Amino acid sequence: MKPHVFLIDGSAFIYRAYHAFTPLSNSAGMPTHAVFGFIKILQRILKEKKPSHICVAFDARGPVFRHQLYDQYKANRPPMPEDLAVQIPYIKELVTAFGLVSFEMKGVEADDLIATSALALKDKGASVTVISGDKDLLQLVSDDVVVWEPMKDRVMDISYVKEKYNVRPDQLLDCYALIGDSSDNVPGVPGVGPKSAEKLINLHQNLEGIYEQIDSMKRSKQKERLIENRQAAFLSRDLIRLKIDVDIPTELDDYRLGEGDQERLQALYKELEFSSLLAEEKKRKKIPADTFVLVQDEDQLAQLVKCLRSASILAVDTETTSLDARHAALIGLSLSVSKERAWYIPLAHVDENGSLVNEQLDRAAVLETLRPFLESDQLIKLGHNIKYDYTVLLQNCEIRLGGRLYDTMIAAYLLEPTARSYKLDDLCLGLGYELTPFTAVVGDPKEDGCFGYVDLQTACRYSCEDVFGTLALWEEYESRLDSQGLERLFTDVESPLIAILAEMEIAGITVSAPLLSKLSKEFAARLNTLEEEIYHLAGETFNIQSPKQLGTILFEKLELPHGRKTKTGYSTDMKVLEKLADKHELPAMIIRFRNLAKLQSTYVEKLQTLIDEETGRVHTSFNQAVTATGRLSSSNPNMQNIPIRTEEGNRIRSAFIPEEGMCFLSADYSQIDLRVLAHYSGDAALQEAFARGDDIHSRTAAELFSVSPLLITGEMRRVAKGINFGIVYGMSSFGLAKQLDISRKQAQTFIDRYFALYGGVKQFMADIIEQAREQGYVTTLYGRRRMLPEIHASNKTRREFAERTAINTPIQGTAADIIKLAMIRVEKLLKEQELKTRLLLQIHDELVFELPESEVEKARPLIRQAMEDGMELNVPLVVNFEQGGSLAKGS
């Protein structure tokens, strides 16, 4: 068997990690996210490929031999960011600590080191995998050399190159020479793109062949460009050609993976404060599987019941047929009251023929035996994403989990609101427990009902590990929630909300399929009309959804001013189009097309597929552990993002309708963020305005423009509104100017006048930033915490982002806490009054209820009371109501 060597393009993955991972810093303010990201890439390679021979190549600092050929080589590249440069030494030290060989040589690049190694090792009989996303390295591809891009898990071999570029790997260099490379400032031949280059190379084999036949080519613009740029083409080839004679070791043993230095690894992880990686390095704690009980007879069930009678907390985990909780059938149930013992009760496991496996207790009898404990109001129920288990048991077994619901996923979220993962397996790994992966138990997790085929002993171990892990996490989190002042937020806000959200998801909301179908046809017709108008303005047909083709039309044909050009072409994102919209009608038309196309695909078409066949309603999922501010998010569909201010968005909202004989009542907090700001800042003028019931935007406009409130125009109020809310988000004069389409100087004048009017707000902003610097975090009025490690960052952009976050988080987070408390209070009042009114949706600062029209007059004051008295502020909370036959505003 051939030896296999893996060659890693280290410098490329350093930049990939730097840009892909959320900025991190340790407590000393040292940026660490590039290091962390690089380690995760390295760990994946080592885990998946299990290499015996491997090395990492790095670029050396300073000019390389290509600069001698062309002094403008990479001249357009910005210098390495300061917060990345300080991380490079740690990355190189970690590579050594992992036991990997690394190469770096002055005057050449990592690609040249890899090329030299790959060809030498191939000649010595090894097969080589180059690990990189750099297309230049595809020149090396052969029968024994492939390139693997781990981010996309794509192996690029000879067939890939031929399919992608329609040339052989040995022809790629000449192909690249014609195309050039804007990211490296390699000129190429202007106007020759990938398709043209491919045709030329296939016809003439290489550059020499092209220029030998140049005189016989038909007269064309391309021929002129080839002749004019002959020198540039050959220069480009020399610049892109990989150097294969670098003086580095090329014997197989020089690439052997070493044992690594675990002590040094742990020291580095500790210094960089990578707690999760530190935990991985520690010796795994053994999960005591001998204490897991497979309940298969009445005596074992009786022992479980005996333990439940004296329990104060019960960990619950359901095993089911589906990730969709409303449609999932129960296969088994694991329970535990302490880490000393866990039980798994199989209920619906089947053999390969689909017949129930023997030695399973009767499902109905088991559930009736457990019902008093599951529904008990005195027994705390603990789970990881317990909303799922609550829904499964309610929908599938008509059992409503009673008592306080504690969720370790939510506890982890409160403790670390910006963590990358709240999966049970990942969190338990942080404690040193390695749980059995779901895929290791079921094989293909995509198959419906796959867990039902798992043998009973394997299912027992897997499911009991989950309740054991959940209890282990709770042991860790309970004291941390208390010590960080988060216990009240967990027990009084987030925990009571779980059952409410589950019931809202089960209830769903009716959507008119006929109206959506009508909208779909109408939007499609409008898109076709827009498409024809776009083609007319462009003077030709092209793929409107292709940024590359659009860039060619806008910036080469129409010669509109363009920004940066990447490897894939000109940027044509919305920001670019908005800047160009006042210069030409085409960009404005493209914006309208994109917005309408997004509404069509994201809502009109998708909503039709989400209507449940049984209920005729759409059942969104509410997420408590997603946003860093504490606000709820929703998915499938995302109800938070349906546009309100556009005609098309409002028409989509009109498709959401109440049941027959019912109506909608929406209760929306008025300017809640600004009211929270008034409370936090203690600004007398702002508080007095809210106390009097003033229109805060008109009042601000009157002061900003020095006119009577009677003379305020709609445009003046729009500007004032932009500033009022912009201040809440820590917006700078640059951001405000961009939002309001005014000059930066004018924006700064408005901000200065605003702070002159509301001096308390300016002081609050300064104080909260200083508090963040001292504590490293900010909190909401209810204690919700947001860590801000970047507040001390040396990088100005990241530091200023942290400062804006420090200002915004207490306000948005407190608003989130207020509406969650309101949901809890309103549900309690409605149940006490035994009304049929039910809460269906929470959208931003709005609660949507479905109710009989006869209950409106009774429900409205209850809802107002619950929402306006939810949290005591120094300014009144005000709720506006709207009643209608759909979610459309003004319906």
Side-chain angles (χ1 to χ4, degrees):
M1 185 175 177
K2 279 187 174 184
H4 196 156
V5 184
F6 293 84
L7 308 175
I8 302 174
D9 184 355
S11 293
F13 284 117
I14 286 174
Y15 274 94
R16 183 74 64 89
Y18 174 76
H19 290 293
F21 282 76
T22 304
L24 288 174
S25 299
N26 63 10
S27 56
M30 157 79 184
T32 59
H33 57 288
V35 186
F36 186 85
F38 191 90
I39 292 169
K40 299 307 286 185
I41 293 168
L42 207 54
Q43 284 182 327
R44 181 185 172 192
I45 293 167
L46 295 173
K47 182 180 179 180
E48 292 186 13
K49 301 303 179 182
K50 295 181 172 54
S52 58
H53 297 77
I54 186 170
C55 87
V56 183
F58 293 111
D59 290 335
R61 297 194 68 173
V64 297
F65 72 92
R66 292 178 178 88
H67 288 96
Q68 297 172 5
L69 297 173
Y70 183 50
D71 62 4
Q72 293 301 302
Y73 178 65
K74 292 190 176 181
N76 55 346
R77 287 273 186 101
M80 180 182 290
E82 184 183 335
D83 61 334
L84 174 57
V86 297
Q87 299 182 64
I88 302 295
Y90 287 94
I91 290 173
K92 292 178 178 177
E93 192 169 353
L94 279 158
V95 165
T96 303
F98 267 100
L100 277 69
V101 176
S102 65
F103 296 138
E104 179 180 335
M105 182 171 288
K106 193 173 179 63
V108 295
E109 296 176 78
D111 289 3
D112 303 310
L113 300 171
I114 289 171
T116 299
S117 296
L119 297 182
L121 293 166
K122 182 187 78 167
D123 290 345
K124 288 182 168 63
S127 59
V128 177
T129 294
V130 175
I131 303 177
S132 177
D134 188 345
K135 64 179 178 60
D136 289 348
L137 288 166
L138 294 176
Q139 298 174 58
L140 300 172
V141 167
S142 67
D143 289 334
D144 297 304
V145 180
V146 297
V147 177
W148 177 50
E149 160 56 295
M151 299 300 188
K152 298 176 182 175
D153 197 18
R154 184 167 59 198
V155 175
M156 294 170 273
D157 55 11
I158 294 174
S159 61
Y160 171 87
V161 172
K162 287 181 178 177
E163 184 178 342
K164 172 77 174 175
Y165 296 96
N166 200 27
V167 297
R168 302 187 309 271
D170 62 287
Q171 294 175 309
L172 267 180
L173 175 59
D174 294 82
C175 205
Y176 290 161
L178 290 168
I179 299 166
D181 188 341
S182 59
S183 66
D184 287 346
N185 207 33
V186 174
V189 176
V192 176
K195 291 295 181 186
S196 301
E198 160 208 315
K199 290 176 182 176
L200 286 167
I201 294 300
N202 277 319
L203 190 61
H204 302 289
Q205 300 304 308
N206 51 35
L207 286 186
E208 284 80 4
I210 291 170
Y211 284 102
E212 283 172 7
Q213 300 296 317
I214 195 79
D215 292 337
S216 61
M217 290 182 188
K218 290 182 180 179
R219 185 175 179 181
S220 66
K221 190 70 175 176
Q222 183 183 84
K223 178 179 178 180
E224 290 176 17
R225 286 172 174 167
L226 285 168
I227 293 170
E228 290 171 7
N229 294 278
R230 174 177 182 141
Q231 186 177 351
F234 283 97
L235 170 63
S236 297
R237 187 169 69 173
D238 289 340
L239 292 171
I240 297 170
R241 179 184 283 115
L242 299 172
K243 192 173 177 62
I244 58 172
D245 57 354
V246 183
D247 186 16
I248 56 171
T250 54
E251 295 299 324
L252 192 61
D253 279 348
D254 296 322
Y255 295 79
R256 190 174 297 279
L257 177 64
E259 290 185 6
D261 186 341
Q262 299 302 310
E263 190 175 321
R264 184 60 189 140
L265 265 183
Q266 289 199 30
L268 286 166
Y269 289 167
K270 189 172 182 180
E271 180 182 350
L272 297 168
E273 298 176 9
F274 293 156
S275 55
S276 61
L277 297 179
L278 260 176
E280 289 176 24
E281 288 301 313
K282 293 177 183 175
K283 187 177 180 181
R284 299 273 184 251
K285 298 174 188 175
K286 187 178 180 182
I287 297 177
D290 56 338
T291 63
F292 297 165
V293 179
L294 178 62
V295 179
Q296 294 179 283
D297 58 44
E298 296 292 343
D299 287 343
Q300 291 170 318
L301 183 60
Q303 290 174 17
L304 167 58
V305 168
K306 184 179 178 181
C307 287
L308 294 180
R309 288 196 181 109
S310 59
S312 59
I313 190 167
L314 174 61
V316 181
D317 186 58
T318 54
E319 302 302 342
T320 67
T321 57
S322 172
L323 292 175
D324 181 351
R326 290 186 313 102
H327 293 118
L330 187 66
I331 290 171
L333 187 67
S334 56
L335 303 169
S336 182
V337 298
S338 72
K339 283 167 57 183
E340 277 65 52
R341 181 156 298 180
W343 290 266
Y344 179 66
I345 312 162
L347 299 172
H349 284 264
V350 295
D351 60 23
E352 59 186 12
N353 298 316
S355 301
L356 276 176
V357 172
N358 293 329
E359 298 181 320
Q360 295 182 97
L361 292 171
D362 179 71
R363 178 183 185 274
V366 168
L367 292 175
E368 284 310 305
T369 300
L370 296 177
R371 183 184 294 275
F373 303 101
L374 294 171
E375 294 186 342
S376 169
D377 288 336
Q378 308 304 313
L379 187 57
I380 295 170
K381 310 306 181 305
L382 176 71
H384 196 80
N385 189 21
I386 200 170
K387 177 158 65 75
Y388 175 86
D389 306 290
Y390 181 98
T391 304
V392 167
L393 291 169
L394 182 57
Q395 288 282 92
N396 195 268
C397 313
E398 297 182 352
I399 292 175
R400 181 179 270 101
L401 287 178
R404 286 176 288 171
L405 303 182
Y406 285 1
D407 192 330
T408 45
M409 179 179 73
I410 293 172
Y413 160 70
L414 293 181
L415 291 165
E416 294 185 53
T418 56
R420 290 182 181 83
S421 170
Y422 299 112
K423 291 180 181 177
L424 180 63
D425 297 48
D426 294 336
L427 295 172
C428 285
L429 199 60
L431 298 180
Y433 293 112
E434 190 166 10
L435 305 187
T436 303
F438 186 64
T439 51
V441 174
V442 300
D444 182 7
K446 295 178 183 177
E447 184 182 343
D448 285 342
C450 55
F451 197 85
Y453 294 94
V454 176
D455 73 87
L456 300 187
Q457 289 293 342
T458 303
C460 175
R461 172 163 187 125
Y462 171 80
S463 193
C464 286
E465 279 184 4
D466 282 358
V467 286
F468 175 92
T470 302
L471 280 163
L473 288 175
W474 181 241
E475 281 186 4
E476 170 81 10
Y477 294 158
E478 186 176 18
S479 59
R480 287 180 60 192
L481 288 169
D482 183 42
S483 65
Q484 294 187 26
L486 294 165
E487 185 179 24
R488 187 173 65 133
L489 181 64
F490 179 78
T491 58
D492 296 356
V493 181
E494 298 293 353
S495 293
L497 200 62
I498 295 169
I500 294 171
L501 295 177
E503 304 271 0
M504 288 165 65
E505 291 176 2
I506 291 170
I509 184 169
T510 303
V511 178
S512 170
L515 181 53
L516 286 177
S517 179
K518 180 183 175 184
L519 277 178
S520 181
K521 291 174 184 175
E522 182 182 319
F523 282 14
R526 288 174 62 185
L527 284 168
N528 285 335
T529 301
L530 282 171
E531 192 174 80
E532 291 303 317
E533 290 175 0
I534 287 168
Y535 294 155
H536 175 72
L537 289 168
E540 63 180 272
T541 60
F542 65 100
N543 183 354
I544 299 172
Q545 303 287 15
S546 167
K548 189 171 184 180
Q549 291 185 34
L550 176 59
T552 302
I553 296 289
L554 293 175
F555 307 122
E556 294 184 9
K557 183 174 182 178
L558 299 180
E559 298 183 342
L560 294 173
H562 62 81
R564 60 189 178 87
K565 188 177 181 183
T566 65
K567 285 186 178 181
T568 55
Y570 302 98
S571 174
T572 58
D573 61 21
M574 290 297 278
K575 290 180 181 178
V576 172
L577 294 177
E578 285 166 2
K579 286 181 181 178
L580 297 173
D582 61 348
K583 300 181 186 301
H584 197 281
E585 195 177 348
L586 180 59
M589 196 72 72
I590 295 289
I591 291 172
R592 288 200 288 276
F593 181 90
R594 283 187 182 177
N595 287 336
L596 189 60
K598 185 176 181 181
L599 289 176
Q600 173 81 309
S601 61
T602 306
Y603 290 105
V604 177
E605 292 176 353
K606 188 175 181 182
L607 277 171
Q608 294 179 74
T609 68
L610 293 176
I611 298 174
D612 189 281
E613 292 182 3
E614 295 177 13
T615 67
R617 294 165 79 95
V618 167
H619 301 263
T620 188
S621 295
F622 291 98
N623 312 302
Q624 280 176 272
V626 172
T627 69
T629 59
R631 287 190 180 272
L632 292 173
S633 69
S634 61
S635 51
N636 288 324
N638 181 354
M639 298 300 297
Q640 314 291 333
N641 282 0
I642 301 178
I644 297 175
R645 295 180 180 86
T646 64
E647 178 195 347
E648 293 90 351
N650 212 31
R651 294 193 65 197
I652 292 170
R653 287 175 69 100
S654 70
F656 292 86
I657 56 176
E659 275 186 6
E660 191 173 342
M662 309 281 270
C663 67
F664 286 150
L665 183 66
S666 71
D668 194 359
Y669 276 115
S670 169
Q671 301 168 346
I672 189 171
D673 286 358
L674 293 178
R675 293 173 190 272
V676 173
L677 174 63
H679 174 88
Y680 260 110
S681 67
D683 184 89
L686 202 53
Q687 290 188 359
E688 285 169 13
F690 279 123
R692 287 194 304 266
D694 291 352
D695 178 339
I696 197 68
H697 301 317
S698 293
R699 184 185 188 281
T700 302
E703 296 292 339
L704 291 180
F705 292 97
S706 301
V707 298
S708 164
L710 299 175
L711 300 175
I712 296 300
T713 65
E715 179 61 20
M716 288 176 179
R717 190 178 184 279
R718 184 185 76 86
V719 170
K721 185 176 181 179
I723 294 171
N724 277 330
F725 285 112
I727 293 297
V728 172
Y729 294 99
M731 189 179 287
S732 64
S733 59
F734 177 79
L736 186 64
K738 194 172 181 182
Q739 178 182 305
L740 298 177
D741 195 23
I742 58 179
S743 70
R744 191 168 180 180
K745 184 178 180 181
Q746 190 177 7
Q748 187 59 54
T749 300
F750 282 142
I751 290 174
D752 292 341
R753 287 181 185 173
Y754 179 93
F755 284 138
L757 173 63
Y758 303 123
V761 174
K762 185 176 184 180
Q763 188 60 50
F764 156 72
M765 293 169 67
D767 291 345
I768 201 72
I769 289 172
E770 187 56 36
Q771 178 187 323
R773 289 195 186 109
E774 290 176 5
Q775 297 180 166
Y777 63 88
V778 291
T779 62
T780 68
L781 291 179
Y782 225 80
R784 189 181 299 277
R785 183 178 293 200
R786 176 86 175 267
M787 302 304 295
L788 295 168
E790 294 286 301
I791 200 75
H792 298 292
S794 55
N795 180 282
K796 184 182 177 184
T797 302
R798 287 186 173 149
R799 185 177 64 253
E800 288 180 347
F801 178 79
E803 290 172 355
R804 290 194 297 274
T805 304
I807 295 167
N808 173 245
T809 295
I811 297 166
Q812 268 215 40
T814 296
D817 295 341
I818 288 172
I819 200 162
K820 286 179 177 179
L821 284 166
M823 293 170 73
I824 295 164
R825 285 169 55 85
V826 79
E827 278 291 294
K828 183 173 182 291
L829 289 174
L830 292 174
K831 283 181 179 176
E832 286 175 355
Q833 296 297 316
E834 297 182 348
L835 296 181
K836 294 179 181 177
T837 302
R838 59 179 175 177
L839 177 59
L840 294 190
L841 296 173
Q842 186 269 334
I843 306 173
H844 301 301
D845 305 322
E846 174 187 11
L847 299 181
V848 178
F849 300 86
E850 185 177 57
L851 68 169
E853 288 196 31
S854 59
E855 285 189 4
V856 171
E857 292 309 311
K858 191 172 183 180
R860 191 192 298 258
L862 291 176
I863 295 167
R864 184 184 298 280
Q865 178 189 343
M867 294 181 72
E868 293 187 348
D869 298 343
M871 185 183 288
E872 189 174 337
L873 301 179
N874 293 334
V875 295
L877 289 172
V878 175
V879 173
N880 298 321
F881 287 95
E882 190 168 333
Q883 181 181 340
S886 76
L887 287 188
K889 293 302 177 183
S891 65

